[in-house]
Amino acid sequence: MRTNILGPFEVFQNDDRVVPSAPKLRQVFALLAVHANSVVRNDQLIEELWEDRPPLSATTTLQTYVYQLRKLHRLGGRPGAASGDTGEPPLLRTSPSGYMLTLEPDALDANRFARLSDQGRAQADAGEWDRTAETLRDALRMWRGPAFSDVGVGPVLHATAIWLEELRKSVVEQRITADLALGRHHELIGELTGLVAHEPINEGFQAKLILALYRSGRRSDALRAYQRAREALSDELGLEPSPQLQALHRSVLAADPKLDPPQQSAIVVTGPPPGRSPNQLPPDVSNTIERSAELTMAQQAVARTAGLATPVIVAVGAPGSGKSTFCLHFAHRIRRDYPDGQLFAELTRPDGTPMSPFTVLENFLLAIGGPDAEIPASMEDRVSTYRKWTDDRKALVVLDDAVGWDQIRPLLPTGEACAAVISSTRRLVHPSITKIVTVPSLSPSGGLRLLMSVLGRRRIARDTEGARELVDLCDGLPRALRTSAMVLEMRPHWSFGRLVSCLRGELPRPRNLLSDGFGLYPSTCRTLRLLPPATQHAFPRLAALQQPVSASVAASELGVDEDQAELMLEELVDHHLAEVVDTAGGGAFDQFRYRFRRPLIEVAGMLARRAPQHDDLDEHQFGLSVSIRP
């Protein structure tokens, strides 16, 4: 038997997948597997399954689950049920206090991960950086997504999942340290940029990105990265960078020789090491609640197109809808089909300016050819070199936050065995696109599950109605929900209802509470910059109405004719800043109703209040004040 928990939960017997379909059975088996060869007490199993509200029949029901597992997985020790390579039979034993699942050590992917992690650390302690990097890469390949990603975890498994995730992060940091010691700073920039985007307050990742940029001759970019790190720490935690990060900043300013790349006299790198391929994908740490239909749609489109043309999948959605997370998770699901490399680029800088394809191609070619690769000076030659490499390879290209087709086109691989996955707030239309996947808001139940995944079931149970109101207030946008959950994590004594009352203005809102508009202010500003000035100006004014509007109402509010108003409303819809909620009347334009999501109304109010002091958007001064209403 082989059991995987580092990603979707899987159990294999003789290479046949036999995962229990019932959610409670999966929970029981996962808990027994992660504590294999140790007794799991009955009270632990009951707490995992029912937390602090077990039914009166909990013990009997648990015994029924164990009986079903024994039948499903032949865990009674009968011949033919192999545990691992040794052929030892797995057993599910009963003890006076609980149950114990016996498994061979390497039958559990988490055990293999921990063993390789320890081996890699020992190699690092011995200064064997090349072996360290390779061993830790092997360890990280065990991960196929978040631990227990399709198991409804309770408090016991949740604690294990947190421990495994922290261990994974430490292994990623150690592997990057090894790569920096080997002089692979060019290759690390894309990966570190993605890691920092997902975890802006992780000072370890921030420091490594600054160092990699500096060693790559991009001193100004390294200094800008420090400023972004400082802003993130101040905005989210109210803290200044650590002394170590500040010291690194001073060293960059002084061009300290200690920051120079290590001399690798015994190592000459002219391309990817044998048997390896560039991998720039950030880690898959996503929670893809309610995304199975969209993932299946994208998977089918890739399978249908493969071998005939390059599959190009574009995920679109509102700011904060999770389209970048969706693309990254999908890329990790299919990465094994593209063994020659996975390339990743963010196509919009944090300040909202589009990334030049010229610069992205430089990073791609460095990843493909190694730090000593000769990068062509002209755009035409860079595109030609890149396409020649992709033409006869199986490579995956992930482009996040794309602005338009002209930016995307030079970065698409040409090989029929390649694939491209793209996220964009803007709706893109082009014959090369295989499938456009719209990433919707979460349903009320999906929003509750997301809050539960962060805060736990007990917190939800204490104030279920308040949690439902918060999901409604966030309009099901995952980013808004996660940001709200972070606030409640920092204030464990708050109820959901109290947070909702603060957001609605019924209670005073503490200073800096969700001051970034549910985490959506930066991404909304980046999206608005893609629009004409008149439409930028229209967004906060129309959102301030806090109700669905027609073209005629918009025209009256903006002082323009209805044709212009309709054009601006449709531009907002194209960029997912508004949505059509009423198309009655057979398509007559004055029957369309355009709605603004509540978190975006909050952002619109921030734009209105900040415009006289800031130049966030073309120096418009909206002169409005918006407070969110139910």
Side-chain angles (χ1 to χ4, degrees):
M1 176 179 290
R2 188 174 82 254
T3 304
N4 295 333
I5 64 171
L6 303 180
F9 181 60
E10 294 178 314
V11 183
F12 295 90
Q13 284 181 326
N14 300 325
D15 294 325
D16 292 327
R17 191 173 183 270
V18 287
V19 180
S21 58
K24 294 291 189 186
L25 283 183
R26 288 205 300 273
Q27 267 184 283
V28 172
F29 197 100
L31 186 55
L32 292 169
V34 81
H35 294 288
N37 306 314
S38 299
V39 173
V40 180
R41 301 190 314 274
N42 289 327
D43 62 305
Q44 290 178 294
L45 287 159
I46 290 173
E47 181 185 6
E48 171 64 26
L49 293 171
W50 296 287
E51 297 194 28
D52 55 355
R53 295 186 178 182
L56 294 175
S57 60
T59 300
T60 303
T61 304
L62 177 58
Q63 291 170 348
T64 301
Y65 291 152
V66 171
Y67 170 75
Q68 292 173 342
L69 284 174
R70 282 182 168 136
K71 284 183 60 179
L72 179 63
H73 296 295
R74 294 176 292 174
L75 296 176
R78 293 192 300 273
S83 170
D85 295 336
T86 65
E88 291 295 326
L91 294 174
L92 180 50
R93 303 178 185 273
T94 302
S95 79
S97 60
Y99 300 92
M100 179 174 70
L101 178 67
T102 62
L103 287 176
E104 290 295 308
D106 266 7
L108 186 66
D109 59 354
N111 289 345
R112 299 195 299 275
F113 170 69
R115 177 174 54 77
L116 287 170
S117 301
D118 291 342
Q119 181 181 335
R121 288 191 177 92
Q123 291 165 344
D125 291 342
E128 300 172 348
W129 295 117
D130 204 14
R131 295 178 63 194
T132 298
E134 196 60 38
T135 299
L136 295 182
R137 277 192 180 83
D138 289 340
L140 292 167
R141 289 190 188 104
M142 298 288 174
W143 287 77
R144 300 158 298 116
F148 314 111
S149 60
D150 59 356
V151 176
V153 299
V156 183
L157 282 179
H158 180 66
T160 302
I162 292 175
W163 172 74
L164 286 168
E165 176 59 21
E166 290 303 317
L167 180 59
R168 186 196 64 79
K169 288 180 187 177
S170 71
V171 171
V172 170
E173 283 205 57
Q174 184 73 69
R175 196 225 80 223
I176 291 173
T177 298
D179 281 335
L180 284 170
L182 292 166
R184 296 171 181 166
H185 35 273
H186 286 288
E187 301 171 49
L188 291 170
I189 290 174
E191 179 185 4
L192 283 166
T193 300
L195 287 168
V196 165
H198 281 82
E199 296 191 52
I201 59 174
N202 187 312
E203 294 187 79
F205 291 149
Q206 292 278 15
K208 288 175 173 57
L209 174 60
I210 293 167
L211 183 59
L213 288 167
Y214 179 82
R215 288 183 174 179
S216 299
R218 297 167 59 176
R219 185 183 178 197
S220 59
D221 287 338
L223 293 171
R224 279 192 288 268
Y226 173 80
Q227 291 303 325
R228 289 195 295 270
R230 183 181 183 186
E231 290 168 6
L233 290 163
S234 176
D235 291 345
E236 295 200 26
L237 302 177
L239 298 175
E240 284 294 311
S242 66
Q244 294 85 351
L245 198 57
Q246 293 184 45
L248 175 61
H249 178 234
R250 290 193 296 270
S251 295
V252 171
L253 286 171
D256 190 337
K258 294 179 181 178
L259 299 183
D260 291 344
Q263 296 296 321
Q264 300 290 331
S265 56
I267 301 175
V268 178
V269 181
T270 57
R276 288 185 50 217
S277 56
N279 173 22
Q280 296 183 320
L281 289 183
D284 182 9
V285 295
S286 61
N287 189 332
T288 54
I289 291 172
E290 288 194 340
R291 299 301 185 224
S292 58
E294 288 76 21
L295 289 166
T296 299
M297 191 184 307
Q299 184 84 55
Q300 290 174 344
V302 170
R304 186 173 59 250
T305 312
L308 302 174
T310 305
V312 178
I313 308 299
V314 178
V316 297
S321 62
K323 55 190 177 295
S324 296
T325 294
F326 171 84
C327 285
L328 184 59
H329 184 68
F330 178 63
H332 276 276
R333 281 184 62 158
I334 64 174
R335 62 182 293 182
R336 293 182 182 178
D337 296 330
Y338 303 94
D340 292 325
Q342 301 92 40
L343 302 173
F344 176 85
E346 289 187 330
L347 298 189
T348 302
R349 294 186 178 90
D351 64 1
T353 57
M355 182 72 76
S356 165
F358 186 80
T359 302
V360 175
L361 283 171
E362 178 181 356
N363 291 333
F364 281 0
L365 293 176
L366 284 169
I368 291 166
D372 295 330
E374 293 186 10
I375 307 301
S378 72
M379 180 67 175
E380 182 179 3
D381 288 341
R382 288 187 180 187
V383 171
S384 176
T385 302
Y386 170 65
R387 288 178 174 171
K388 186 180 296 183
W389 185 85
T390 64
D391 191 51
D392 59 353
R393 285 177 170 82
K394 295 180 178 180
L396 177 64
V397 179
V398 182
L399 305 174
D400 186 31
D401 211 1
V403 171
W405 195 253
D406 288 342
Q407 184 191 35
I408 294 169
R409 185 173 53 243
L411 305 176
L412 291 179
T414 55
E416 294 177 354
C418 297
V421 179
I422 303 165
S423 77
S424 177
T425 302
R426 180 183 182 183
R427 288 180 178 171
L428 301 172
V429 179
H430 195 274
S432 298
I433 296 176
T434 306
K435 186 69 178 179
I436 297 176
V437 178
T438 300
V439 180
S441 300
L442 298 177
S443 69
S445 61
L448 282 177
R449 288 201 299 275
L450 190 152
L451 291 175
M452 192 180 300
S453 71
V454 178
L455 299 170
R457 299 189 184 201
R458 294 182 183 179
R459 190 84 177 268
I460 300 290
R462 288 202 299 266
D463 187 11
T464 303
E465 188 57 37
R468 293 184 192 279
E469 290 181 16
L470 180 60
V471 172
D472 182 61
L473 199 61
C474 292
D475 261 316
L477 291 175
R479 176 67 176 179
L481 286 166
R482 290 183 190 281
T483 305
S484 300
M486 288 174 58
V487 171
L488 291 170
E489 273 193 305
M490 295 172 63
R491 292 174 169 82
H493 53 290
W494 275 31
S495 67
F496 288 96
R498 181 180 179 88
L499 177 58
V500 169
S501 295
C502 288
L503 294 174
R504 288 178 172 170
E506 298 164 358
L507 291 175
R509 185 184 295 195
R511 184 182 303 173
N512 295 327
L513 177 63
L514 295 177
S515 58
D516 58 349
F518 293 89
L520 300 179
Y521 184 82
S523 57
T524 304
C525 288
R526 289 197 297 269
T527 302
L528 279 171
R529 286 189 178 94
L530 305 177
L531 291 165
T535 308
Q536 294 180 19
H537 179 81
F539 169 68
R541 296 193 58 170
L542 297 178
L545 300 177
Q546 301 197 47
Q547 61 185 3
V549 300
S550 64
S552 58
V553 170
S556 174
E557 176 67 25
L558 299 174
V560 299
D561 62 43
E562 292 190 15
D563 287 343
Q564 288 178 290
E566 181 193 25
L567 175 62
M568 287 188 281
L569 285 165
E570 290 293 336
E571 285 175 334
L572 291 171
V573 170
D574 288 343
H575 289 74
H576 291 88
L577 295 176
E579 58 182 348
V580 179
V581 294
D582 182 4
T583 57
F589 88 101
D590 59 342
Q591 292 298 310
F592 291 157
R593 295 294 184 271
Y594 302 84
R595 172 183 176 271
F596 297 88
R597 295 173 177 85
R598 291 183 181 90
L600 296 186
I601 292 174
E602 174 95 356
V603 173
M606 295 170 60
L607 286 169
R609 292 188 293 272
R610 295 183 182 186
Q613 293 83 27
H614 300 280
D615 59 350
D616 289 291
L617 294 170
D618 297 336
E619 299 181 349
H620 283 313
Q621 296 188 7
F622 300 113
L624 295 173
S625 180
V626 181
S627 61
I628 195 165
R629 292 202 304 260

